[in-house]
Each structure stands twice: as C-alpha cells, then as structure tokens.
Amino acid sequence: MSADYTVFQAGSIDSWESHTFSVPEFGFTRPGTQFLRGPLGLKGAEVSVNVFKPGQTMPISHRHKANEELYLFLSGTGEMLLEGKVIPLVAGTCVRCGPRVARDWRNNGTADLVFVVVQYPQNADVKTGFDDGEMATDRWPA
C-alpha cells in the first residue's frame, strides 16, 4: 500500500504570527495566517491556522462564490460580523458561513485570538465519520 499522507509543521501557536498571507488583487498583506493546502497537498479543502493580535482586524469583509467556511476559535476573544450581525467569539465558538454570507472578524480582547478556518465546496458529497470509514489492521505495537 502506498504512503498517501503528508506532514507539515506549522510551528507552535506562538510562532503563527510570523506567517504572512497576501492577496495582491485585494491590496493587502496580513500577518498571522498559514494556509495548509499547498504544504499538505490538500485536494478537497483549504485549511488555515491563524492568530490575530489584540486590536487586529481582518482588512476586508469578504464572501465566497462556491465554498463555505468553518471557523473554529481555540482561544482569545473577538467578534465576527456576519451579514451585519455581531457574533461574540470565545474559545470553543464554531461558526459555519455559507458561500454568499459577508464576513469579517476582529480581536477585541487582550490576548491573541487563535483559530482554524476550513474552506470546502458547499455542495460536495462528503461521507462523514464511519460512513466513509473501515477497519484497518495497523495498531500500536504491543
């Protein structure tokens, strides 16, 4: 069986602010985001690890054409603006945005706002959990 996996070390959360994300067509560069699609060779999704320093705001509000996004907030506090409604963000907040939902977020707290974003085609026929699983024989050595 071929080894169909990749590993990428994004570094400790404390180092995530050193990653930089640029979108020249929108005219901004933002520190604190590492996209994983390229380094991991992802085919069906884009994933990013992110840290916003206190007072940091996403430089643009945006929406997507076909992809929805899942935001998983791990630590810190902030706010997300979804179609004009302000949603408070704390550790454990999970937000799904359909493609056409306008979104923006910011860190309004005193500590880093740490989160993961997963972007994927909204209408993909994804099998979940054990619907797509099967038993394997690989186990930890005794």
Side-chain angles (χ1 to χ4, degrees), residues 37-55:
R37 183 178 177 97
L40 289 174
L42 300 174
K43 304 293 183 219
E46 174 65 272
V47 178
S48 64
V49 293
N50 304 268
V51 61
F52 272 33
K53 301 309 268 177

Side-chain angles (χ1 to χ4, degrees), residues 32-106:
T33 295
Q34 171 67 54
F35 283 97
L36 302 178
R37 183 178 177 97
L40 289 174
L42 300 174
K43 304 293 183 219
E46 174 65 272
V47 178
S48 64
V49 293
N50 304 268
V51 61
F52 272 33
K53 301 309 268 177
Q56 191 172 2
T57 300
M58 183 66 177
I60 62 165
S61 177
H62 76 285
R63 60 174 51 96
H64 290 273
K65 296 174 185 169
N67 292 343
E68 66 182 22
E69 288 182 314
L70 173 62
Y71 294 80
L72 306 169
F73 292 91
L74 306 177
S75 65
T77 58
E79 294 176 318
M80 195 165 199
L81 184 63
L82 300 171
E83 296 291 329
K85 182 175 181 182
V86 176
I87 308 297
L89 304 172
V90 297
T93 302
C94 304
V95 178
R96 183 201 63 86
C97 294
R100 300 307 300 160
V101 172
R103 65 205 72 165
D104 198 354
W105 56 96
R106 66 183 175 189

Side-chain angles (χ1 to χ4, degrees), residues 109-125:
T110 58
D112 291 352
L113 180 63
V114 178
F115 57 102
V116 174
V117 182
V118 183
Q119 184 182 136
Y120 47 91
Q122 183 183 42
N123 295 315
D125 182 19

